[in-house]
C-alpha cells in the first residue's frame, strides 16, 4: 500500500495514517488506494456523517470486506473538506486469500454459541467474519462471532466457521476498573450519595414519580433492580424485560435514594456535556435512549453472592453495549460495600455516586457507536482512555452545577466512590501503579491486555497537554494549553477518537489522529498542535 | 422607589394656560385689580384635567419553579392620566374659607417585567426573560379637606390658596405571576408569554396644597351678557399638589407607593 502504510504490531495488518502532517502526494496516493478498493468492492461505506465541529467537513467510515465478508476490525476513517480528502486513518489487511464459504450454517453456529453460554445467554446473532491472524490466532480464519453473557462477563466469541472450535475470545464488558485477580486486591470502588442536592428530570405516572427523563432529546431511564441480582442477571442477558415498574421511583418527588439520583442526574449531565461541547446528539449522535441500572444487588449479599457477582455488582460499574431493550446498551452501577466493610482500608460507595464513573461508562457507548475500539490491548487502552477523559471532563463541566460542597473537579477517577483516593490518577499514574510512559506499559494478558492500566499512558498525555508538566520517565516537559483552554484539548481528543480512530487503533494511531485533529481545529503550527506533539513525546508514544 | 416627573413641555403648557386665563379679562377691557374680600360665601366647582407627572415603583416577586426559587421584578410606570375633580367651599370669616373636594384619577399603565426563571436541570443557573405587562390600572379617589384664603381682586377675578389633609383611596393592578413557554432543550432560553394580575386597594392619608384662579367673565361674552345668572358662573383653573403614600404589598414585600402628585384641572365655577 505504499510508503504511507506502516507495519504495526498486528501481523498482516497495515495501518493507514495520513493527514495534513504528510505530503500531499502521500495523501493523494492513499486516497487513490482507498477509492480503488472501494470500487472493487473491498471497502464498503458503513457510515457518512457531517462534521459537527468544522463546517464543510465530512467523515466516512469504510469497512474492509473479503469476498463479501467483513474483516474483523478492518476499518478506515476518511475526512474530507468540501469533498477533498484531508486525512485517512485505520487498519486494512493485505493478502487475504481465505475461502469465505462457511461449513456451518448460522443456525448451527448459534447452537455452538448457545453451548458456550451454558447458564448464560447468547446476546447477538452469529456474524460471519474474516478474522485475520493475530496473537493467539495463527492464521487467517473464517469465523462466526457472537456475544455471550455469562453472568459476570460479556464474552465476544469467535468460532471457526467450519469446525465450530473457539478460535479467539475476549471479554467485551466495559468495566470501570479491571476485574481483579483476587477479591482482596479489589480496588473497587465509591446522594445524591453525598447528600448534595440535585435536580432530576423525571416523569410522573399515576401519582408516582419515575426516573425517566423526557426533557432531554434522548430518553434517559434509571432502573432500580432493588438488590435482586437474579433479576439483574436476567435483565442483562435478555431473559427478563424492564418495565415502568422497574424504574426508580419516588412517591413525593423528594428523591432520597442517592444511587438512583446520581445515576439519573449523571446520565443527564453527560448528555448535556456531549451536546454543549461537541454538538453531539447523545451517545450515538441520534439520541439513542440511555439506560442505567442501580442497586443490581443488595449490599448485604456481599458475603453470600458468588465472587464474580461481587466483582461486577458490588465493586464495579460497567457498560454492556448489547444489553437492554433493543440491545443497544445499558450501564450498570455497582452497589458498593456495606459501610462497615472496607476494601484495603477504603470505603466503597455507590458507583453512580461518582459523576466521572457515570460519564466514563456512557463514553464507552460513544466509542461503540464511533471508533468501536476493541477492548483489548492498545485499542482497549485507548477505549478506556477515552472514557476516562470524558469522565474527567464531564466532572469539570458539571462542577458549577454541584451544590453542598460535592463535585469538586479533578483528574482522579472514582475518587467519589472509593474513598479516599479513587482508582486512577491522570497527573500521577504511578499513584495506583499504572504506567506513565509507553515503555512501562503492561504486556501481560490480565485485564484484556492491561487496558485499564495502560490507558494511563494516553490519559497522562492528555493531562500534560492541558496542565503542562514534566514526564517522570522521559524528563520531557510539556507546556500545556492551560486549564482555561482545556476545551481545546477536549475538542482535539474527542475529534480524534470519534472521527479518526478505528477498532484496532494503537497509541501511535491516537498520536497521529490527535495531531490531525489539532491541525483541523486550530491550524498547522498552532499551539494546540505543538502541545499535543509534546505530550505524546513525553509519554513515549511516537 | 418613586420619582416625580414633570416635563418641560408640560410645565410650559401649564404656564401658558395660566397666562391665558389671566389675559382673557384683559382683552375684555377690565384691567383694574383691587384686592378684597370675596363677595360670595359659597363656591362650587366641577373640573376636568390632567395629572402630568409620571411615577415609577418596583416590586420583586419570588416564586418556586423546578425545585428552586425564581423571581420577577416588575417596574411599574404610572403614567399621566385624567383627573375629574369637584368641590365646594364656604366662606367662614373675612377671606378664610373651608372646602371639601373630591378628585378621581385613573390611568392605564404598563410594567416592565424582568424574570429569572430557574433551569430545569441545574441549580443557580437561571434563565432571564423580559416582557411588558400592559393594561394595569391605577385609580385614586381623593377626598381633600381644604382651608382656603380667598382673595377677590375685582368683581370677576378670584384667587384662592388652599391646603389641608387628604384621604386617598388607591387601587392598583399588580402583576401576581408571569407565564413562560420553554423553548426546549437545552433550556437556555424561555419565551415570555404573559402575566396574571391582582388588584390591591389601600387607604392613605396625605396633604394637599393648591392655587385656584377663577374668572367670572362669562356674562361679558356676547350672547350671554343678558343672562344675569351668568355673573355667578365662571371659569377657573386649579393647580393642586397632593402628596401621600400607600403601603401596598408589591411582590414579596410592602412598598410605600407614592400617590397624588401635581394635577391641573380646569372647569366651571359657581358662586352664591
Amino acid at each position: 500500500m505504499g510508503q504511507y502504510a506502516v507495519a504495526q504490531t498486528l501481523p498482516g495488518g497495515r495501518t493507514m495514517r495520513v493527514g495534513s502532517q504528510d505530503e500531499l502526494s502521500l495523501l493523494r496516493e492513499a486516497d487513490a488506494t482507498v477509492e480503488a478498493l472501494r470500487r472493487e468492492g473491498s471497502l464498503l461505506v458503513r457510515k457518512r456523517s457531517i462534521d459537527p465541529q468544522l463546517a464543510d467537513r465530512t467523515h466516512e467510515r469504510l469497512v474492509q470486506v473479503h469476498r463479501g465478508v467483513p474483516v474483523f476490525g478492518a476499518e478506515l476513517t476518511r475526512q474530507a473538506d468540501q469533498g477533498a480528502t484531508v486525512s485517512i486513518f485505520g487498519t486494512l489487511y493485505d493478502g487475504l486469500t481465505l475461502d469465505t464459504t462457511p461449513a456451518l450454517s448460522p443456525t448451527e453456529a448459534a447452537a455452538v454459541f448457545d453451548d458456550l453460554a451454558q447458564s448464560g445467554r447468547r446476546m447477538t446473532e452469529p456474524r460471519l467474519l474474516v478474522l485475520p491472524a493475530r496473537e493467539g490466532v495463527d492464521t487467517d480464519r473464517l469465523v462466526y462471532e457472537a456475544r455471550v453473557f455469562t453472568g459476570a462477563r460479556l464474552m465476544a466469541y469467535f468460532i471457526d466457521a467450519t469446525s465450530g472450535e473457539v478460535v479467539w475470545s475476549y471479554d467485551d464488558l466495559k468495566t470501570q476498573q479491571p476485574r481483579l485477580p483476587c477479591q482482596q486486591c479489589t480496588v473497587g470502588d465509591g446522594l445524591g450519595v453525598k447528600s448534595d442536592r440535585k435536580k432530576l428530570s423525571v416523569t410522573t405516572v399515576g401519582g408516582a414519580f419515575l426516573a425517566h427523563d423526557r426533557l432531554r432529546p434522548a430518553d434517559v431511564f434509571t432502573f432500580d433492580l432493588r438488590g435482586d441480582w437474579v433479576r439483574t442477571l436476567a435483565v442483562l442477558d435478555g431473559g427478563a424485560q424492564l418495565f415502568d415498574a422497574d424504574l426508580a421511583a419516588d412517591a413525593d418527588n423528594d428523591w432520597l435514594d442517592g444511587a438512583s439520583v446520581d445515576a439519573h442526574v449523571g446520565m443527564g449531565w453527560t448528555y448535556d456535556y456531549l451536546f454543549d461541547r461537541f454538538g453531539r446528539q447523545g451517545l450515538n449522535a441520534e439520541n439513542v435512549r440511555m439506560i442505567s441500572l442501580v442497586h443490581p444487588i443488595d449490599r448485604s449479599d456481599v458475603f453470600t453472592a458468588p465472587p464474580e457477582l461481587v466483582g461486577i455488582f458490588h465493586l464495579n460499574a460497567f457498560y454492556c453495549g448489547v444489553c437492554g431493550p433493543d440491545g443497544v446498551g445499558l450501564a450498570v452501577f455497582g452497589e458498593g460495600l456495606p459501610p462497615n466493610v472496607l476494601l484495603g482500608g477504603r470505603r466503597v460507595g455507590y458507583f453512580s455516586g461518582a459523576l466521572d464513573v457515570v460519564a466514563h461508562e456512557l463514553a464507552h457507548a460513544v466509542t461503540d457507536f464511533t471508533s468501536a475500539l476493541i477492548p483489548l490491548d492498545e485499542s482497549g487502552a485507548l477505549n478506556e482512555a477515552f472514557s476516562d477523559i470524558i469522565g474527567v471532563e464531564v466532572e469539570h463541566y458539571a462542577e458549577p452545577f454541584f451544590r453542598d460542597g460535592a463535585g469538586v473537579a479533578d483528574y482522579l477517577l472514582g475518587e467519589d466512590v472509593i474513598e479516599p483516593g479513587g482508582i486512577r490518577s491522570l497527573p500521577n499514574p504511578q499513584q495506583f501503579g499504572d504506567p506513565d510512559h509507553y515503555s512501562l506499559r503492561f504486556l501481560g494478558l490480565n485485564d484484556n491486555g492491561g487496558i485499564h492500566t495502560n490507558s494511563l499512558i494516553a490519559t497522562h498525555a492528555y493531562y500534560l497537554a492541558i496542565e503542562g508538566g514534566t514526564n517522570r520517565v522521559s524528563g520531557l516537559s510539556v507546556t500545556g494549553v492551560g486549564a482555561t483552554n482545556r476545551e481545546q484539548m477536549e475538542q482535539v481528543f474527542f475529534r480524534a477518537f470519534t472521527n479518526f480512530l478505528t477498532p484496532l487503533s494503537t497509541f501511535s494511531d491516537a498520536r497521529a489522529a490527535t495531531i490531525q485533529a489539532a491541525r483541523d481545529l486550530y491550524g498547522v503550527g498552532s499551539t494546540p498542535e505543538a502541545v499535543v506533539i509534546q505530550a505524546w513525546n513525553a509519554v513515549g508514544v511516537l | 422607589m418613586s420619582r416625580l416627573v414633570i416635563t418641560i413641555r408640560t410645565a410650559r403648557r401649564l404656564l401658558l394656560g395660566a397666562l391665558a386665563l389671566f389675559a382673557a379679562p384683559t382683552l375684555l377691557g377690565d384691567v383694574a385689580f383691587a384686592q378684597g374680600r370675596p363677595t360670595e360665601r359659597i363656591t362650587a366647582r366641577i373640573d376636568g384635567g390632567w395629572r402630568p407627572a409620571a411615577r415609577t415603583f418596583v416590586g420583586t416577586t419570588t416564586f418556586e419553579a423546578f425545585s428552586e426559587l425564581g423571581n420577577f421584578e416588575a417596574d411599574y410606570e404610572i403614567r399621566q392620566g385624567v383627573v375629574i375633580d369637584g368641590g365646594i367651599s364656604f366662606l367662614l370669616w373675612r377671606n378664610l374659607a373651608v372646602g371639601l373636594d373630591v378628585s378621581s384619577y385613573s390611568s392605564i399603565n404598563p410594567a416592565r417585567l424582568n424574570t429569572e426563571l430557574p433551569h430545569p436541570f441545574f441549580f443557580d443557573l437561571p434563565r432571564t426573560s423580559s416582557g411588558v405587562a400592559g393594561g394595569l390600572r391605577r385609580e385614586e379617589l381623593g377626598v381633600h379637606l381644604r382651608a382656603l384664603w380667598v382673595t377677590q381682586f375685582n368683581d370677576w377675578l378670584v384667587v384662592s390658596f388652599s391646603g389641608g389633609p387628604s384621604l386617598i383611596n388607591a387601587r392598583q393592578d399588580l402583576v401576581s405571576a408571569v407565564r413562560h413557554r420553554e423553548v426546549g432543550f437545552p433550556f437556555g432560553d424561555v419565551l415570555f408569554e404573559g402575566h396574571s394580575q391582582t388588584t390591591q386597594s389601600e387607604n392613605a392619608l396625605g396633604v394637599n396644597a393648591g392655587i385656584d384662579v377663577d374668572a367670572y367673565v362669562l356674562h361679558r361674552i356676547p350672547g350671554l351678557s343678558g343672562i344675569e345668572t351668568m355673573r355667578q358662573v365662571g371659569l377657573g383653573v386649579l393647580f393642586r399638589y397632593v402628596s401621600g403614600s400607600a403601603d401596598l404589598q408589591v411582590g414579596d414585600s410592602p412598598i410605600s407607593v407614592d400617590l397624588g402628585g401635581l394635577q391641573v384641572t380646569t372647569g366651571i365655577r359657581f358662586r352664591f
Side-chain angles (χ1 to χ4, degrees):
Chain A
M1 287 186 192
Q3 53 187 307
Y4 50 81
V6 181
Q8 293 301 295
T9 55
L10 297 168
R14 297 289 182 269
T15 295
M16 278 188 162
R17 197 185 294 146
V18 287
S20 50
Q21 73 270 31
D22 298 303
E23 290 179 18
L24 191 58
S25 60
L26 287 178
L27 186 60
R28 284 178 175 163
E29 186 184 347
D31 197 36
T33 302
V34 170
E35 275 305 297
L37 290 170
R38 196 177 64 80
R39 278 196 296 273
E40 72 178 41
S42 295
L43 280 177
L44 302 178
V45 176
R46 179 165 74 83
K47 185 177 183 181
R48 283 197 179 93
S49 59
I50 295 172
D51 194 324
Q53 292 173 297
L54 291 177
D56 300 326
R57 298 285 177 105
T58 56
H59 299 277
E60 281 182 329
R61 284 190 176 273
L62 302 107
V63 294
Q64 184 184 4
V65 294
H66 171 62
R67 296 177 183 171
V69 177
V71 180
F72 174 74
E75 188 168 310
L76 291 180
T77 60
R78 181 164 60 172
Q79 177 188 197
D81 185 358
Q82 294 184 316
T85 299
V86 175
S87 64
I88 300 174
F89 295 96
T91 301
L92 297 178
Y93 289 89
D94 291 337
L96 297 172
T97 57
L98 209 57
D99 178 20
T100 55
T101 306
L104 294 178
S105 68
T107 307
E108 291 167 329
V112 175
F113 288 115
D114 289 341
D115 285 345
L116 290 169
Q118 296 179 340
S119 60
R121 188 183 181 93
R122 175 169 52 83
M123 304 295 293
T124 61
E125 292 302 316
R127 186 169 63 125
L128 191 63
L129 292 175
V130 171
L131 180 65
R134 57 179 302 124
E135 188 174 341
V137 181
D138 53 356
T139 183
D140 301 341
R141 303 285 285 268
L142 184 67
V143 298
Y144 280 105
E145 180 265 358
R147 308 298 163 94
V148 172
F149 187 72
T150 64
R153 294 182 172 197
L154 180 65
M155 295 303 298
Y157 280 118
F158 298 76
I159 64 168
D160 189 282
T162 300
S163 65
E165 67 168 315
V166 176
V167 174
W168 191 51
S169 66
Y170 65 87
D171 188 353
D172 195 33
L173 202 64
K174 285 92 174 178
T175 58
Q176 173 59 32
Q177 60 182 41
R179 277 173 42 79
L180 298 169
C182 64
Q183 282 189 308
Q184 290 77 10
C185 60
T186 299
V187 249
D189 115 5
L191 182 84
V193 167
K194 293 186 177 298
S195 301
D196 54 315
R197 283 188 71 199
K198 289 185 170 79
K199 295 185 181 184
L200 295 88
S201 175
V202 299
T203 301
T204 177
V205 177
F209 299 91
L210 305 178
H212 175 189
D213 178 0
R214 299 173 71 173
L215 287 178
R216 290 180 171 85
D219 283 318
V220 179
F221 301 90
T222 300
F223 289 96
D224 181 356
L225 275 297
R226 297 172 178 82
D228 184 349
W229 61 263
V230 174
R231 180 162 163 72
T232 302
L233 285 173
V235 167
L236 289 176
D237 72 13
Q241 292 188 329
L242 291 167
F243 301 100
D244 280 357
D246 296 312
L247 284 166
D250 194 89
D252 60 3
N253 217 16
D254 286 331
W255 297 67
L256 299 176
D257 177 34
S260 299
V261 169
D262 282 344
H264 201 59
V265 172
M267 286 198 292
W269 287 358
T270 302
Y271 182 95
D272 298 339
Y273 170 77
L274 294 172
F275 182 85
D276 282 359
R277 282 287 191 277
F278 314 114
R280 187 176 180 81
Q281 302 274 346
L283 304 180
N284 68 344
E286 294 173 352
N287 288 321
V288 66
R289 87 289 181 285
M290 302 162 72
I291 292 181
S292 73
L293 306 184
V294 297
H295 303 309
I297 199 166
D298 194 277
R299 279 190 166 180
S300 61
D301 291 335
V302 70
F303 304 111
T304 57
E308 64 270 24
L309 293 188
V310 174
I312 63 168
F313 289 162
H314 283 280
L315 302 175
N316 225 321
F318 61 90
Y319 181 80
C320 175
V322 295
C323 298
D326 314 322
V328 289
L330 56 74
V332 180
F333 298 106
E335 189 71 355
L337 297 175
N340 59 339
V341 178
L342 300 181
L343 187 69
R346 302 199 287 173
R347 296 181 301 278
V348 183
Y350 297 103
F351 275 70
S352 59
L355 179 60
D356 52 8
V357 171
V358 174
H360 172 107
E361 299 308 338
L362 296 175
H364 281 309
V366 176
T367 296
D368 278 359
F369 287 114
T370 55
S371 62
L373 286 161
I374 294 170
L376 196 67
D377 301 328
E378 289 198 17
S379 59
L382 291 172
N383 191 326
E384 291 298 328
F386 178 70
S387 280
D388 275 2
I389 287 169
I390 296 297
V392 163
E393 291 305 342
V394 171
E395 194 172 270
H396 279 85
Y397 165 79
E399 187 174 31
F401 309 148
F402 277 97
R403 301 185 77 174
D404 308 316
V408 177
D410 54 30
Y411 290 95
L412 298 172
L413 260 293
E415 76 284 357
D416 293 317
V417 176
I418 299 181
E419 300 175 296
I423 56 174
R424 288 191 285 279
S425 167
L426 275 58
N428 181 20
Q430 290 275 300
Q431 181 181 344
F432 297 101
D434 298 314
D436 52 1
H437 193 271
Y438 190 67
S439 63
L440 302 178
R441 67 190 182 281
F442 176 73
L443 295 173
L445 297 177
N446 282 345
D447 186 27
N448 279 5
I451 60 175
H452 290 86
T453 189
N454 286 340
S455 70
L456 271 297
I457 297 166
T459 54
H460 184 53
Y462 179 78
Y463 166 80
L464 291 173
I466 294 175
E467 300 289 347
T470 302
N471 181 264
R472 183 185 65 86
V473 178
S474 68
L476 294 175
S477 295
V478 181
T479 307
V481 294
T484 54
N485 296 318
R486 65 181 319 112
E487 190 174 338
Q488 291 179 340
M489 287 303 114
E490 294 177 65
Q491 297 290 348
V492 165
F493 276 70
F494 188 86
R495 181 179 185 79
F497 276 70
T498 58
N499 287 315
F500 302 152
L501 296 191
T502 58
L504 296 172
S505 290
T506 61
F507 279 113
S508 292
D509 294 330
R511 172 193 167 102
T514 48
I515 292 170
Q516 177 67 45
R519 290 181 172 192
D520 289 345
L521 295 171
Y522 304 107
V524 176
S526 62
T527 298
E529 182 204 6
V531 164
V532 168
I533 293 171
Q534 285 178 19
W536 286 114
N537 287 345
V539 300
V541 174
L542 304 175
Chain B
M1 183 192 301
S2 65
R3 67 174 187 265
L4 175 64
V5 179
I6 304 175
T7 64
I8 293 174
R9 180 183 296 178
T10 304
R12 191 164 58 197
R13 283 179 185 158
L14 295 174
L15 183 61
L16 288 173
L19 289 174
L21 194 63
F22 281 103
T26 305
L27 295 175
L28 293 170
D30 189 342
V31 295
F33 279 18
Q35 186 173 350
R37 295 176 190 166
T39 56
E40 308 296 344
R41 297 193 67 84
I42 298 174
T43 302
R45 58 180 190 79
I46 299 173
D47 279 3
W50 198 250
R51 181 187 287 179
R55 297 175 184 276
T56 63
F57 65 95
V58 177
T60 300
T61 302
T62 303
F63 56 89
E64 185 179 345
F66 302 133
S67 302
E68 195 178 0
L69 292 180
N71 70 80
F72 67 84
E73 184 182 88
D75 192 346
Y76 296 87
E77 179 185 355
I78 305 302
R79 292 177 168 172
Q80 304 173 18
V82 174
V83 177
I84 306 294
D85 195 302
I88 189 166
S89 60
F90 303 88
L91 191 65
L92 292 179
W93 178 73
R94 293 178 177 266
N95 296 78
L96 187 63
V98 293
L100 187 69
D101 289 1
V102 176
S103 66
S104 172
Y105 157 83
S106 76
S107 60
I108 304 295
N109 306 291
R112 190 165 299 280
L113 302 171
N114 293 299
T115 305
E116 286 191 344
L117 193 67
H119 195 285
F121 300 156
F122 311 114
F123 284 106
D124 305 322
L125 203 66
R127 290 83 52 79
T128 58
S129 78
S130 297
V132 175
L136 302 173
R137 180 177 291 273
R138 161 72 79 92
E139 293 177 348
E140 292 178 22
L141 180 64
V143 178
H144 312 287
L145 186 61
R146 298 195 295 159
L148 299 91
W149 184 262
V150 183
T151 299
Q152 182 161 341
F153 290 90
N154 51 37
D155 67 335
W156 59 267
L157 180 62
V158 180
V159 176
S160 57
F161 302 88
S162 64
S166 295
L167 176 64
I168 308 166
N169 175 262
R171 290 170 62 87
Q172 172 71 52
D173 288 343
L174 297 168
V175 177
S176 57
V178 287
R179 294 193 304 275
H180 289 86
R181 183 161 60 86
E182 293 284 359
V183 175
F185 185 84
F187 301 98
D189 299 300
V190 287
L191 293 179
F192 173 77
E193 273 200 327
H195 73 283
S196 301
Q197 65 189 54
T198 182
T199 302
Q200 274 196 46
S201 177
E202 196 69 35
N203 294 322
L205 281 176
V207 294
N208 67 84
I211 303 172
D212 189 10
V213 181
D214 302 339
Y216 295 86
V217 294
L218 294 181
H219 65 283
R220 299 191 181 192
I221 296 174
L224 298 177
S225 56
I227 304 173
E228 184 60 25
T229 55
M230 279 297 118
R231 288 184 175 277
Q232 308 303 119
V233 179
L235 298 174
V237 59
L238 170 66
F239 300 85
R240 177 154 61 201
Y241 188 82
V242 179
S243 178
S245 66
D247 290 335
L248 299 181
Q249 184 71 28
V250 183
D252 299 332
S253 50
I255 288 182
S256 181
V257 174
D258 286 341
L259 306 175
L262 178 66
Q263 67 183 51
V264 181
T265 58
T266 183
I268 195 164
R269 304 288 186 267
F270 304 93
R271 56 183 179 178
F272 314 99

